[in-house]
């Protein structure tokens, strides 16, 4: 009889493909799933009784800003506690590498808090991630905004010159060669809002050569969302890259209900290109504090302020009343700052999540003093609230959207399924009790019902606390492509 390192016995397996739950034992040897067999047939040195539990692939958080959190906070409790075993970093146009300047600056400070985490090339940054021995894996996009700052300095309110575009393109090409999985853009943000469609497409040209993906925080998620979608699709066509639209939403009360327009628009485009999108399961988003977003939001909570103490977690309207000024003036007084904006319609959120092209991403910001609850609650919220309680989709499909589908879209080889030969990224949870506990009032709170999380064969979360695992790694695009071909 084969001896295994871990055997998970008597569980119901959601294998990640959407297949119906089935009873099985799952065995782990080293960093791989070694066997999936009939209940009671496998034995190992370390056995886990999963009676009444679901055994699923570890969840893949496809939209994060965890670039340097993997280094500074290697236990990654905010993600491991949700069952997440892989995070896709470098979204919305901001990545920690490559970065050739000595200063961090406001834009980069969203994801970098220590200068020692700056890296002039992607290979050096990936080495820092591996050296930190995080509990979970990271896959990394290169941010178009970061490339702009490298090449253009602070002179960003214009289209890049031909020479600057060439420099950005070469940095992206080098990063892809060194293992980055694609490029992200954030044309919504000031650092990149003056970039033309031509600039982005010219910079992104190496994606087709290396098989990298293009992810986009689009230029507009409100009144001009259809135009922004078309721009994103055009960039993908021009560079020959698969497209992932980031955190798809219809922003602002005047755009509530417009999923009836955007989802059919996706459907038509998907007939011609490989396009997908990610969604987070909340009606509020979070980013830097911007005065031009205040009128769109029904409510604004401050997540941090570098200028005024005691602002985190407070309603901007109450802050303005205390200051005796307008909300815009109050926002200006506490800048630089971050905020949570309540600006989406629940029916739109559910429609987006239910679409066959949707996967799940948290978009949490790990360094916020008072983060959005999605940082700790996204995946159990999908399983508990939307799948079990509301019946939006079956549990098996919820798991698929968070595992195999995500792995396919980001080309994460041998991940996202409970299958022999795949990496031992696993999550054991109680389908009857799994739920998020993080709230807008108390956002730092682990989920209920997530029992055990294993990443690359090591325990990342167990018995309600970090499992002490150090098996996470920076996933290399070339290595994953080689493994997919093997």
């Amino acid at each position: 009889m084969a001896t295994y390192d871990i055997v998970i016995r008597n569980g119901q397996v959601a294998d990640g493909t959407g297949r119906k739950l089935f009873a099985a034992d799952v065995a782990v040897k080293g960093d791989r799933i070694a066997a999936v067999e009939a209940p009671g047939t496998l034995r190992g040195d370390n056995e886990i009784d999963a009676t009444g539990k679901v055994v699923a692939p570890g969840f893949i958080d496809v939209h994060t800003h965890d670039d340097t959190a993997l280094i500074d906070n290697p236990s990654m409790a905010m993600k491991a506690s949700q069952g997440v075993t892989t995070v896709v970093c470098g979204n919305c146009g901001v990545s920690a590498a490559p970065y050739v300047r000595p200063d961090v600056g406001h834009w980069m400070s969203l994801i970098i808090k220590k200068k020692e985490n700056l890296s002039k090339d992607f290979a050096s940054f990936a080495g820092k991630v591996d050296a930190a021995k995080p509990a979970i894996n990271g896959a990394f996009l290169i941010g178009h905004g970061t490339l702009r700052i490298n090449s253009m300095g602070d002179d960003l309110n214009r289209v890049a010159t031909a020479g600057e575009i060439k420099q950005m393109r070469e940095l992206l090409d080098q990063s892809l060669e060194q293992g980055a999985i694609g490029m992200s853009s954030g044309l919504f943000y000031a650092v990149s809002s003056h970039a033309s469609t031509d600039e982005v497409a010219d910079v992104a040209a190496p994606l087709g050569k290396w098989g990298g993906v293009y992810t986009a925080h689009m230029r507009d998620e409100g009144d001009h969302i259809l135009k922004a979608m078309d721009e994103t699709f055009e960039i993908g066509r021009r560079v020959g890259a698969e497209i992932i639209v980031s955190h798809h939403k219809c922003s602002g009360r005047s755009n509530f209900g417009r999923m009836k327009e955007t989802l059919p628009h996706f459907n038509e485009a998907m007939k011609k290109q490989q396009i997908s999108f990610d969604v987070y399961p909340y009606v509020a988003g979070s980013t830097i504090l911007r005065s031009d977003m205040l009128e769109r939001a029904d409510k604004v909570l401050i997540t941090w302020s570098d200028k005024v103490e005691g602002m985190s977690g407070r309603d901007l309207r109450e802050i303005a009343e205390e200051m005796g000024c307008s909300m815009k003036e109050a926002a200006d007084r506490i800048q630089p700052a971050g905020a949570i904006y309540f600006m989406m319609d629940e029916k739109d959120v559910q429609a987006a999540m239910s679409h066959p092209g949707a996967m799940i991403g948290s978009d949490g910001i790990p360094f916020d003093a008072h983060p959005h609850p999605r940082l700790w609650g996204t995946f159990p919220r999908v399983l508990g609230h939307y799948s079990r309680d509301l019946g939006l989709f079956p549990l098996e499909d919820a798991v698929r959207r968070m595992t195999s589908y995500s792995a396919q879209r980001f080309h994460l080889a041998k991940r996202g399924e409970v299958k022999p030969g795949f990496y031992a990224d696993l999550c054991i949870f109680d389908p009857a009790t799994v739920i998020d506990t993080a709230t807008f009032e108390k956002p730092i709170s682990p989920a209920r019902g997530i029992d055990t999380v294993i990443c690359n064969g090591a325990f990342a979360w167990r018995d309600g606390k970090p499992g002490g695992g150090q098996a996470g790694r920076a996933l290399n695009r070339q290595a994953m492509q080689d493994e997919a071909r093997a």
Side-chain angles (χ1 to χ4, degrees):
M1 180 181 293
T3 300
Y4 303 108
D5 297 328
I6 302 171
V7 172
I8 304 167
R9 301 179 56 230
N10 304 319
Q12 292 290 314
V13 175
D15 69 0
T17 66
R19 173 186 174 187
K20 291 290 186 183
L21 292 175
F22 60 93
D25 291 350
V26 178
V28 173
K29 183 72 173 177
D31 65 355
R32 303 284 180 139
I33 296 170
V36 181
E37 301 290 349
T41 60
L42 301 179
R43 290 289 182 271
D45 298 331
N46 185 354
E47 296 192 358
I48 299 171
D49 184 3
T51 300
K53 310 291 173 56
V54 170
V55 182
F59 305 138
I60 299 170
D61 190 344
V62 299
H63 191 106
T64 84
H65 300 284
D66 293 335
D67 305 50
T68 64
L70 289 159
I71 301 171
D72 293 341
N73 183 18
S75 74
M76 291 298 289
M78 70 283 196
K79 296 299 171 70
S81 63
Q82 299 184 57
V84 171
T85 54
T86 299
V87 290
V88 178
C89 308
N91 283 281
C92 296
V94 58
S95 62
Y99 194 68
V100 301
R101 295 175 57 171
D103 60 308
V104 175
H106 178 50
W107 173 245
M108 297 293 291
S109 71
L110 289 170
I111 60 169
I112 298 177
K113 297 302 180 185
K114 298 178 181 177
K115 285 190 175 182
E116 55 263 38
N117 290 337
L118 294 174
S119 302
K120 292 185 177 181
D121 60 73
F122 177 74
S124 297
F125 177 73
K128 291 177 181 180
V129 172
D130 286 338
K133 297 183 178 180
I136 64 176
N137 304 309
F140 299 90
L141 301 159
I142 302 303
H144 169 246
T146 298
L147 296 175
R148 284 193 117 225
I149 295 171
N150 281 323
S151 300
M152 301 171 66
D154 297 324
D155 185 18
L156 299 167
N157 295 330
R158 59 178 176 82
V159 175
T161 66
E164 290 163 342
I165 289 172
K166 181 175 182 291
Q167 184 181 5
M168 288 188 270
R169 185 167 57 241
E170 289 173 351
L171 278 172
L172 176 62
D173 187 59
Q174 177 194 66
S175 300
L176 293 167
E177 183 177 19
Q178 292 174 351
I181 64 169
M183 187 186 95
S184 72
S185 65
L187 301 183
F188 171 76
Y189 294 105
V191 70
S192 298
S193 61
H194 288 81
S196 65
T197 304
D198 287 342
E199 177 194 314
V200 180
D202 288 347
V203 170
L207 293 177
K209 165 186 168 184
W210 292 106
V213 299
Y214 173 57
T215 75
H217 181 153
M218 299 190 300
R219 199 180 294 272
D220 193 293
E221 295 176 318
D223 295 347
H224 305 292
I225 189 169
L226 297 181
K227 183 178 179 181
M229 290 171 68
D230 288 338
E231 178 186 37
T232 303
F233 303 158
E234 179 185 345
I235 291 168
R237 286 195 302 271
R238 286 171 59 173
V239 303
E242 297 183 22
I243 299 161
I244 294 109
V245 172
S246 297
H247 42 57
H248 181 50
K249 66 175 77 72
C250 297
S251 177
R253 185 163 290 279
S254 63
N255 291 295
F256 284 9
R258 291 193 67 193
M259 283 291 170
K260 293 178 181 177
E261 299 174 51
T262 65
L263 296 181
H265 205 60
F266 269 118
N267 292 340
E268 287 303 309
M270 286 171 175
K271 295 175 182 177
K272 305 167 188 174
Q273 297 171 255
Q274 180 57 63
I275 300 169
S276 53
F277 57 87
D278 65 74
V279 187
Y280 49 76
Y282 298 87
V283 296
S286 181
T287 184
I288 54 176
L289 179 59
R290 290 177 47 150
S291 296
D292 62 343
M293 292 181 64
L294 301 181
E295 292 184 358
R296 286 192 237 165
D298 293 338
K299 181 180 179 180
V300 179
L301 293 178
I302 302 302
T303 56
W304 58 271
S305 171
D306 283 347
K307 188 174 183 180
V308 182
E309 293 184 358
M311 295 292 102
S312 299
R314 296 195 59 195
D315 189 323
L316 182 60
R317 188 177 302 279
E318 293 177 1
I319 294 170
E321 289 174 357
E322 283 185 10
M323 291 182 172
C325 63
S326 69
M327 287 178 61
K328 183 180 184 305
E329 289 171 323
D332 291 340
R333 290 185 190 182
I334 67 173
Q335 293 279 20
I340 294 169
Y341 304 87
F342 291 79
M343 57 183 182
M344 283 103 78
D345 178 57
E346 175 65 21
K347 291 181 180 178
D348 281 344
V349 172
Q350 293 188 27
M353 273 200 294
S354 302
H355 190 276
M359 48 194 157
I360 304 301
S362 72
D363 197 17
I365 303 174
F367 296 122
D368 275 356
H370 186 97
H372 190 302
R374 64 192 181 186
L375 182 67
W376 286 81
T378 292
F379 292 83
R381 182 172 175 80
V382 171
L383 291 170
H385 179 63
Y386 284 101
S387 176
R388 181 190 62 228
D389 297 344
L390 297 187
L392 193 62
F393 32 60
L395 180 144
E396 295 91 342
D397 190 43
V399 170
R400 180 191 67 84
R401 293 171 183 277
M402 305 191 297
T403 56
S404 69
Y405 183 56
S406 305
Q408 291 161 12
R409 296 283 62 82
F410 283 90
H411 306 291
L412 306 179
K414 303 293 184 178
R415 299 189 191 272
E417 293 185 41
V418 180
K419 183 177 180 180
F422 275 51
Y423 285 96
D425 295 350
L426 298 164
C427 174
I428 304 171
F429 65 90
D430 184 339
T433 64
V434 65
I435 195 67
D436 56 314
T437 67
T439 65
F440 289 100
E441 294 73 29
K442 186 184 176 183
I444 300 175
S445 181
R448 287 199 300 267
I450 302 290
D451 286 9
T452 304
V453 182
I454 297 169
C455 178
N456 297 322
F459 291 105
W461 185 262
R462 197 175 191 187
D463 299 327
K465 60 183 183 293
Q470 297 180 314
R473 60 194 67 154
L475 302 182
N476 183 287
R477 178 199 47 75
Q478 186 61 54
M480 290 188 289
Q481 289 180 341
D482 291 344
E483 182 153 22
R485 286 190 289 266

